[in-house]
C-alpha cells in the first residue's frame, strides 16, 4: 500500500499526480505525488498532524520565482490559494496579510489606508509567504524593513510565531526553520496621504512594465546581485541576452528587455531553463571570476 492511499480526509482540495506546470509562472515542470490546497488554517493543521512524518512537504504560493523540474515533486506540495489565504487588513499603521496574498495587493491595500513603506511590494511578482521566506525586496527596500512578525505552522502541525529579529534576515535569505508554512504576516508602516502612496506605487509599476518582461513566462530576477556587481550586466556582457539555449525542449533564453530575467519563449522544459542558468553561471565565472548565485528556486526530480 502506498502512502497516498492513507492520506487524511480534508475540506480543501487534495489531488494526486497533479501536474504543477500550470501553477508556476514559467509553465514548466512535472507532477506532484499529491497537491493539497487547504480550505483554511485548521484544515492545514489537521492534515499535517495526520500526515506520516516521512512524507516530504513543500509549500509554494503563486510559483513566481520557481522552477519545478520535469520529474515532478515527491511527497505533498501545499499551495496556499484562495480567499482564506489572501486577506489583507489595515489597522492604524499596521497591515496584516495572509500568506497567499499577492505582494502587489498588499501594496495597494496599504496605499488605500494611507500607510507608506510597503510601496516596493508593487514591484515584486509573488505572494507574502514567499516574501517572508526570501526577504523579498526591490528598489532599495526589503521585507525586513517593514515586517513586525509572522505566524505559521511547522511540519508537525504546531503553531509558530516569530518577530522580524528572529528571522535573521540577510540579502534574499532568512534563517527561519525551513519547515515552517507561513500563515500571515504583520507589517508596520508610516502615515502618508493615500494619493501620495498610490502615486509612488504607480511609478514603480510603470518602471517595472518598461524595464521587465512581465508579459512573458518568466520567474523574476534569476540571479542575486553579487556584492559590487549587477547580475543583469554580467549576463549581458557575457553575451547571453536574447540567446536561445536548448537541452530537452524548445529552449529558454534571457530576455532582450532585462538580461537577468530568464523566459520560456514557448515550449521550454525545466531542463532548458535550469541548464541555461547553470551554463550562464559557468560562463560568467570563467570570464570574470564572479560567482552568480540563483535567486530562483529549483525544486523536484530531474526529468
Amino acid at each position: 500500500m502506498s502512502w497516498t492511499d492513507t492520506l487524511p480526509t480534508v475540506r480543501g482540495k487534495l489531488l494526486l499526480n497533479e501536474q504543477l506546470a500550470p501553477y508556476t509562472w514559467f509553465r514548466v515542470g512535472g507532477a506532484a505525488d499529491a497537491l493539497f490546497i487547504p480550505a483554511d488554517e485548521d484544515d492545514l493543521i489537521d492534515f499535517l498532524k495526520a500526515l506520516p512524518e516521512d512524507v516530504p512537504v513543500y509549500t509554494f504560493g503563486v510559483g513566481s520565482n520557481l522552477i519545478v523540474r520535469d520529474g515532478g515533486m515527491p511527497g505533498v506540495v501545499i499551495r496556499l490559494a484562495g480567499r482564506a489565504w489572501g486577506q489583507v487588513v489595515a489597522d492604524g499603521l499596521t497591515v496584516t496579510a495572509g500568506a497567499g496574498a499577492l505582494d502587489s495587493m498588499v501594496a495597494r491595500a496599504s496605499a488605500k489606508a494611507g500607510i507608506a513603506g510597503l510601496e516596493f511590494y508593487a514591484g515584486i511578482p509573488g505572494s507574502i509567504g514567499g516574501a517572508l521566506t526570501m526577504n523579498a525586496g526591490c528598489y532599495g527596500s526589503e521585507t525586513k524593513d517593514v515586517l513586525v512578525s509572522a505566524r505559521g505552522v511547522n511540519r508537525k502541525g504546531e503553531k509558530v510565531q516569530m518577530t522580524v529579529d528572529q528571522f535573521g534576515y540577510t540579502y534574499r535569505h532568512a534563517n527561519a526553520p525551513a519547515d515552517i508554512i507561513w500563515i500571515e504576516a504583520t507589517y508596520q508602516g508610516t502615515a502618508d496621504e493615500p494619493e501620495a502612496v498610490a502615486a509612488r506605487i504607480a511609478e514603480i509599476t510603470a518602471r517595472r512594465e518598461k524595464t521587465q518582461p512581465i508579459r512573458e513566462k518568466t520567474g523574476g530576477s534569476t540571479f542575486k546581485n553579487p556584492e559590487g556587481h549587477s547580475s543583469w550586466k554580467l549576463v549581458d556582457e557575457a553575451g547571453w541576452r536574447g540567446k536561445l539555449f536548448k537541452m530537452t525542449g524548445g529552449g529558454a533564453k534571457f530576455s532582450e528587455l532585462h538580461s537577468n530575467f530568464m523566459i520560456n519563449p514557448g515550449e521550454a522544459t525545466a531542463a532548458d531553463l535550469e541548464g541555461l542558468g547553470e551554463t550562464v553561471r559557468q560562463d560568467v565565472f570563467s570570464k570574470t571570476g564572479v560567482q552568480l548565485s540563483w535567486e530562483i528556486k529549483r525544486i523536484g526530480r530531474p526529468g
Side-chain angles (χ1 to χ4, degrees), residues 39 81-87:
R83 184 173 298 179
W85 302 102
Q87 298 296 318

Side-chain angles (χ1 to χ4, degrees), residues 76-98:
V76 179
V77 170
I78 296 176
R79 185 169 188 259
L80 305 184
R83 184 173 298 179
W85 302 102
Q87 298 296 318
V88 183
V89 178
D91 182 14
L93 295 178
T94 65
V95 178
T96 300

Side-chain angles (χ1 to χ4, degrees), residues 28-229:
V28 300
D33 291 345
L35 173 66
F36 176 41
I37 304 175
D40 52 34
E41 184 176 341
D42 288 338
D43 196 26
L44 172 62
I45 290 172
D46 291 342
F47 179 84
L48 290 171
K49 286 181 176 179
L51 188 68
E53 290 186 8
D54 60 343
V55 176
V57 170
Y58 189 88
T59 308
F60 68 81
V62 294
S64 58
N65 72 323
L66 196 64
I67 296 174
V68 177
R69 295 186 176 107
D70 299 308
M73 287 291 293
V76 179
V77 170
I78 296 176
R79 185 169 188 259
L80 305 184
R83 184 173 298 179
W85 302 102
Q87 298 296 318
V88 183
V89 178
D91 182 14
L93 295 178
T94 65
V95 178
T96 300
L102 294 177
D103 299 331
S104 58
M105 288 173 49
V106 175
R108 291 195 297 270
S110 301
K112 188 175 180 180
I115 300 173
L118 282 82
E119 295 93 329
F120 70 98
Y121 266 164
I124 300 174
S127 56
I128 292 302
L132 291 171
T133 301
M134 65 176 293
N135 189 24
C138 65
Y139 304 133
S141 297
E142 296 178 303
T143 296
K144 70 176 180 60
D145 301 327
V146 287
L147 182 68
V148 175
S149 63
R151 250 182 358 96
V153 178
N154 66 20
R155 175 62 179 81
K156 296 180 179 179
E158 300 166 337
K159 295 183 179 181
V160 178
Q161 179 129 3
M162 293 179 62
T163 64
V164 63
D165 292 339
Q166 292 174 303
F167 273 83
Y169 278 135
T170 54
Y171 175 60
R172 300 297 178 267
H173 177 75
N175 283 327
D179 72 330
I180 296 177
I181 300 172
W182 298 110
I183 302 296
E184 68 176 21
T186 299
Y187 300 92
Q188 177 81 39
T190 57
D192 201 351
E193 293 299 321
E195 295 79 7
V197 183
R200 291 193 290 273
I201 289 175
E203 183 180 343
I204 288 171
T205 302
R207 179 178 174 183
R208 182 169 171 248
E209 290 182 347
K210 185 177 180 180
T211 61
Q212 299 176 9
I214 61 174
R215 310 298 177 196
E216 303 278 1
K217 290 182 283 188
T218 186
S221 296
T222 303
F223 303 119
K224 302 174 185 178
N225 287 324
E227 188 172 352
H229 298 274

Side-chain angles (χ1 to χ4, degrees), residues 242-292:
K243 184 177 179 180
L244 192 68
F245 176 92
K246 293 184 181 182
M247 282 193 71
T248 63
K253 64 180 181 178
F254 280 89
S255 169
E256 290 90 344
L257 187 61
H258 193 309
S259 54
N260 194 30
F261 277 62
M262 198 175 350
I263 63 172
N264 172 5
E267 301 299 325
T269 60
D272 288 336
L273 290 161
E274 189 169 14
L276 170 60
E278 287 299 321
T279 300
V280 170
R281 289 180 69 236
Q282 293 169 15
D283 192 35
V284 167
F285 184 74
S286 69
K287 291 175 177 175
T288 67
V290 178
Q291 184 71 65
L292 290 172

